[in-house]
């Protein structure tokens, strides 16, 4: 079965425990359940991961990119957390392995502090979902699925 990957960066394991005014009260386990329902409805398997380590996220991006090349994965929905605004390494990993990524943010980063307005990920993402809360995750999965189907049409 073809897989869709959902990667979450630092501190997203705290989702639902603090800052509900910014991130809502849904836990990361609830987000995983939302994603699984969406993926299964599209006939996809779900690989859902979270890490507080930049290097581990780089490794998962490489692994996902290789799976896409092998035709076993359609790409990744990626909430890089605060690494969005700092990480050249994550930018280079996505670009280097040519992983189709939909960048996702739960909050509307453009309405927040100026340091959240710049993303190192957006220039190497196929698209972004921003500020729609946790319901952005299933939308992003759906978008990746559409994009992968469109790619298959142009490839044949
Ligand atoms: O809005 C988003 O999804 C963010 O990627 C979340 C990051 C933040 O640094 C980005 O600017 C925007 C932070 C994730 C931390 O999540 C927490 C959840 C609950 C309590 C504390 C942190």
């Amino acid at each position: 079965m073809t897989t869709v990957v959902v990667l979450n960066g630092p501190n997203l394991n705290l989702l639902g425990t603090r800052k509900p005014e910014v991130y809502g009260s849904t836990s990361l386990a609830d987000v995983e359940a939302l994603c699984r329902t969406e993926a299964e409805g599209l006939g996809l398997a779900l690989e859902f991961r979270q890490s507080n380590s930049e290097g581990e996220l780089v490794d998962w991006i490489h692994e996902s990119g290789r799976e896409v090349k092998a035709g076993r994965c359609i790409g990744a929905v990626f909430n890089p957390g605060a690494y969005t605004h700092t990480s050249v390494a994550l930018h280079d990993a996505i670009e280097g392995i040519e992983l189709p990524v939909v960048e996702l943010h739960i909050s509307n980063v453009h309405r927040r502090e100026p340091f959240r307005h710049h993303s190192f990920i957006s220039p190497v993402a196929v698209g972004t979902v921003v500020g729609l809360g946790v319901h952005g995750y299933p939308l992003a999965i759906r978008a990746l699925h559409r994009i992968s189907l469109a790619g298959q049409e142009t490839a044949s």
Side-chain angles (χ1 to χ4, degrees):
M1 191 185 249
T2 310
T3 298
V4 61
V5 175
V6 178
L7 300 179
N8 295 280
N11 298 310
L12 283 155
N13 53 311
L14 299 178
L15 210 59
T17 63
R18 298 166 59 207
K19 287 193 170 270
E21 69 287 2
V22 182
Y23 300 115
S25 51
T26 309
S27 70
L28 197 62
D30 294 334
V31 175
E32 180 171 358
L34 280 176
C35 289
R36 196 165 300 284
T37 301
E38 188 68 28
E40 285 175 3
L42 295 168
L44 298 167
L46 177 74
E47 192 69 48
F48 190 95
R49 299 179 184 177
Q50 186 275 330
S51 178
N52 295 322
S53 153
E54 190 175 21
E56 190 163 36
L57 291 164
V58 168
D59 288 342
W60 289 345
I61 288 165
H62 291 172
E63 183 188 326
S64 303
R66 287 192 295 269
E67 288 298 295
V68 171
K69 288 258 154 31
R72 292 191 289 262
C73 173
I74 63 166
V77 173
F78 187 23
N79 185 345
Y83 288 143
T84 307
H85 320 297
T86 63
S87 182
V88 177
L90 290 173
H91 169 113
D92 287 351
I94 294 164
E95 189 175 45
I97 204 79
E98 296 178 358
L99 176 67
V101 161
V102 173
E103 177 186 355
L104 178 138
H105 300 288
I106 296 166
S107 64
N108 183 350
V109 286
H110 302 293
R111 293 183 68 171
R112 300 181 64 193
E113 305 95 317
F115 68 82
R116 295 186 202 275
H117 296 177
H118 178 262
S119 167
F120 281 97
I121 309 305
S122 297
V124 291
V126 293
T128 59
V129 175
V130 172
L132 302 182
V134 296
H135 298 289
Y137 281 84
L139 292 175
I141 289 174
R142 191 163 281 269
L144 254 188
H145 182 245
R146 281 253 163 214
I147 289 161
S148 86
L149 290 180
Q152 283 170 19
E153 276 165 24
T154 51
S156 59

